[in-house]
Amino acid sequence: MIEQRIKTTGWSLGMLVCVLVCSGCTSLVEKAGQVLDGSLFAEKTLGVYRGPEGMELRYLEVKREKQEKIAISLSAYPGLHFWTSPPDENGKVFVQQLHFLGGNYTGWNEFTLDLTGEATLILHRNSLLWRGQGPIERVQISGGKIRREQKRLSGEEALTALQSRYERIAALSDWMHTQEDLPDFTSQEDFDAYWKPLLMPELVQPKQRPATWTTEAAAWVKAEDVSWNQDYTAAVFPETLQVLRNSGALLRDWEEAFSWIYLYYQWDRIIQSISQEYILTKIK
C-alpha cells in the first residue's frame, strides 16, 4: 500500500488514522469528514434500496436545500456518491453531481464534480426500477475541501488545488490506458501492486522493478526526499508526466489521492455499472 512518509500530528486526527489503518475502512474517513463539516446531519433518509453489483440508492430530503435528492453508491468504490434529481412524473431523473471523499494517512480530499446525464427511476411499494440512459459526462469540479494534518483548505484555495490535482490525475490515467496488456483491476490493492513499481521503481524492492529499469550512468534529481532516476523517467513517460515524476508531484498525488486516481482510472467501468437496468429492493 501507499508508503507512510509523514507522521500525523494532533490527537483527534491521530486517533482517526489509527482506526483507519487498523480497519482499512474508507467509510470511516467519510464519516469523520462529514462530522467535521456538519453534512452528516444535513439530510433525512426517506428510503434505502439495494440491488446487484453492490448498488445502493438512498432517497433523501436535503434540509439545507429544502428539496429531495437521490444518492447512489457502489460498494466497490467507497466514498463515492452520485447525486440525481428526484424522478418526475415520467420517472426521468437527471444525474447532476458526483461527491467524492478519499482519505489518506494525514487527511483527505473531498470534492463535488458536476455531471450531465439522465436515467429512469420507477418507484414501487417495496422496490424500484433503475435504468441508465446514455452517457454520463464529467463537467468540472465545482467545490471541495482538503485536510492536510491540522490544516484545512476550503473555498477558492481548495478549489484551485483540487482542480490542479484533477488535471494531473487525468493526465496520468489517460497515459495508463495507452499501455498494452493491462490486467483487469478489481481492487485498489491490485492497482497499487501493478502500477507503483512502474511509476516509482525507486520506492519498491529491487526484484519488483521493471525490466526497463537501469542505474548505469543514470542522472538523478532529488525531490520529496527521493532521488529520481531521470533516465528512467525520460525512457518511460511522456513529457507532461516527466515533470510530475521528477518534481515529486506524482508521488504526492499517489500518497494523498490514491483512491481518487483509482476512481478516475476506473471511470468507464463505474459508469457502465450505473448505466444498466436494475431492480433494487427497499430495505428501509
Side-chain angles (χ1 to χ4, degrees):
M1 291 300 294
I2 304 171
E3 184 180 2
Q4 185 176 0
R5 300 165 52 248
I6 305 173
K7 293 184 178 179
T8 305
T9 59
W11 181 87
S12 61
L13 185 57
M15 288 297 293
L16 171 63
V17 171
C18 289
V19 172
L20 295 174
V21 173
C22 293
S23 68
C25 182
T26 307
S27 63
L28 292 178
V29 180
E30 184 179 3
K31 291 297 183 184
Q34 290 174 337
V35 168
L36 286 174
D37 66 16
S39 63
L40 181 63
F41 312 105
E43 295 135 9
K44 178 182 179 182
T45 300
L46 305 178
V48 180
Y49 301 80
R50 287 182 184 164
E53 304 296 328
M55 184 174 181
E56 180 175 284
L57 185 148
R58 289 180 175 264
Y59 209 111
L60 302 169
E61 178 186 348
V62 183
K63 297 177 182 179
R64 62 183 177 274
E65 299 178 16
K66 297 182 179 179
Q67 61 177 308
E68 295 178 355
K69 284 191 173 183
I70 291 167
I72 299 169
S73 62
L74 299 169
S75 60
Y77 303 95
L80 167 67
H81 293 88
F82 289 91
W83 287 84
T84 82
S85 65
D88 63 16
E89 62 275 9
N90 299 313
K92 178 181 286 189
V93 300
F94 295 95
V95 183
Q96 300 168 327
Q97 292 179 327
L98 175 151
H99 182 264
F100 180 74
L101 191 149
N104 56 65
Y105 282 104
T106 62
W108 55 77
N109 297 280
E110 178 183 4
F111 64 84
T112 297
L113 176 66
D114 293 337
L115 305 172
T116 60
E118 297 181 8
T120 297
L121 191 159
I122 305 297
L123 285 167
H124 301 289
R125 182 175 180 179
N126 294 310
S127 65
L128 62 80
L129 168 69
W130 170 270
R131 183 188 299 123
Q133 294 181 339
I136 296 175
E137 302 291 344
R138 293 168 289 197
V139 181
Q140 63 181 0
I141 292 179
S142 56
K145 299 175 183 177
I146 299 172
R147 174 82 180 237
R148 294 172 180 161
E149 296 187 355
Q150 297 305 303
K151 185 177 182 180
R152 297 193 71 193
L153 305 181
S154 60
E156 287 299 320
E157 185 179 15
L159 184 59
T160 299
L162 289 166
Q163 287 173 336
S164 296
R165 174 158 280 168
Y166 182 84
E167 292 172 2
R168 295 195 302 271
I169 290 175
L172 175 63
S173 178
D174 291 346
W175 172 77
M176 287 175 164
H177 280 290
T178 66
Q179 306 307 296
E180 298 180 353
D181 301 321
L182 293 173
D184 187 19
F185 302 109
T186 58
S187 71
Q188 293 188 30
E189 290 76 15
D190 291 343
F191 184 78
D192 179 73
Y194 180 86
W195 283 110
K196 188 174 182 179
L198 296 174
L199 297 175
M200 295 168 286
E202 294 88 347
L203 302 181
V204 301
Q205 296 297 322
K207 63 181 180 180
Q208 296 177 282
R209 290 168 180 162
T212 51
W213 171 265
T214 179
T215 60
E216 185 177 350
W220 302 83
V221 59
K222 192 165 186 178
E224 296 294 316
D225 296 324
V226 177
S227 292
W228 303 103
N229 186 331
Q230 295 185 84
D231 291 347
Y232 178 81
T233 302
V236 175
F237 296 88
E239 186 174 351
T240 53
L241 294 182
Q242 290 178 24
V243 176
L244 300 182
R245 197 182 109 86
N246 289 339
S247 68
L250 175 58
L251 174 59
R252 290 196 303 274
D253 289 338
W254 199 258
E255 292 185 332
E256 297 177 8
F258 177 73
S259 57
W260 184 356
I261 295 171
Y262 184 68
L263 163 68
Y264 197 102
Y265 183 91
Q266 295 283 51
W267 179 255
D268 289 344
R269 172 174 285 187
I270 293 170
I271 297 305
Q272 184 180 18
S273 295
I274 67 169
S275 296
Q276 301 181 40
E277 182 173 309
Y278 298 111
I279 298 294
L280 287 80
T281 302
K282 188 173 185 178
I283 63 168
K284 186 185 295 186

